[in-house]
Amino acid sequence: MLSIIKLGDPTLRKHSVVVPDINGDVRTLISEMFEAMNAGKGVGLAAVQVGELFRVFITRVPGDSPRIFINPDILETSIEEEPFEEGCLSIPGLYTDVVRSSSVRIQAWNAKGRPFSLTADGYLGRVIQHEFDHLNGILFIDRIDPTKKQRLLSGYEAKVEA
Ligand code: ZN
């Protein structure tokens, strides 16, 4: 099974590149990503988290069907924002409230190479924004107050070293 890279791995900070061709290799990567996400009991996973710098992420939010987003673009985000607790399979055990748009409109391609667009709010809208950030090397801890970030990270590192 693909292993999930963790905070400190410089790959997490890199920008992912557009998938040039939605082919069998991409579909294999996606099915392996689902395995890794399910094993980690996650609700979303970006390809960069398994070390593949492609603009691909997947979601499986409770009550929603599994979703695949290839070469996504965020078309619109609501002005209205709300806080919600987030975690990340690449930063295990660290959870904190992050303020994000309440709803988001996204366009992407599915595994069959067909374009689609979707407006999502609630938990799915949240996960989409979190995963989309990964494609640009952004982690959820970058979106909180810097002082709080520093405090959380020093606690996190202490736990990892223990
Ligand atoms: Zn994440």
Side-chain angles (χ1 to χ4, degrees), residues 49 87-89 130-131 134:
Q49 293 179 273
C88 181
L89 290 176
H130 175 120
E131 299 309 328
H134 274 299

Side-chain angles (χ1 to χ4, degrees), residues 75-96:
L75 304 175
E76 207 179 327
T77 50
S78 63
I79 294 164
E80 190 190 320
E81 296 181 319
E82 60 192 22
F84 194 84
E85 187 178 69
E86 294 187 25
C88 181
L89 290 176
S90 293
I91 318 177
L94 195 154
Y95 299 91
T96 190

Side-chain angles (χ1 to χ4, degrees), residues 42-87:
V43 292
L45 189 73
V48 57
Q49 293 179 273
V50 293
E52 297 288 341
L53 287 166
F54 286 115
R55 299 188 80 79
V56 175
F57 69 78
I58 57 173
T59 64
R60 182 177 275 154
V61 169
D64 186 38
S65 45
R67 294 181 187 271
I68 296 162
F69 300 81
I70 302 170
N71 297 338
D73 270 316
I74 289 193
L75 304 175
E76 207 179 327
T77 50
S78 63
I79 294 164
E80 190 190 320
E81 296 181 319
E82 60 192 22
F84 194 84
E85 187 178 69
E86 294 187 25

